[in-house]
Amino acid sequence: VGIVNRGGTALQTNTSVPTLEDGSWHLGEIYFDSGNIQVYIDGSRYLNYTVSWSYSSVLLGFTSATGSLTDNQDVDNVTFGCF
């Protein structure tokens, strides 16, 4: 899990996320409020970072990697809202 700026520089990362490759769906939550970004997986917070850019320059994306192997990487039921 990580937060990367528009130039591709990692601002904060956490590799201590639980194993998500277990055949089950997992709940991922991203909260953005007044420059603060919090990322949760299955109810546990893995990132908490405050950014200095405006709302107009925030981009949201999902990525994954398997090295040279293949795997399904699914994202489902994405919702955006105001807090």
Side-chain angles (χ1 to χ4, degrees):
V1 175
I3 299 170
V4 178
N5 70 11
R6 198 172 212 165
T9 302
L11 303 175
Q12 187 178 55
T13 61
N14 184 339
T15 58
S16 299
V17 297
T19 299
L20 302 176
E21 196 175 25
D22 60 4
S24 298
W25 284 98
H26 296 274
L27 177 63
E29 300 170 276
I30 301 170
Y31 295 99
F32 182 78
D33 185 25
S34 301
N36 182 255
I37 301 171
Q38 296 184 36
V39 178
Y40 291 80
I41 298 173
D42 292 334
S44 295
R45 187 174 69 192
Y46 287 90
L47 290 179
N48 184 23
Y49 188 80
T50 301
V51 295
S52 59
W53 8 286
S54 68
Y55 289 105
S56 63
S57 65
V58 173
L59 304 172
L60 175 64
F62 299 93
T63 186
S64 60
T66 60
S68 62
L69 304 175
T70 60
D71 197 4
N72 288 338
Q73 311 292 335
D74 301 321
V75 176
D76 190 19
N77 295 330
V78 176
T79 303
F80 296 93
C82 299
F83 302 97

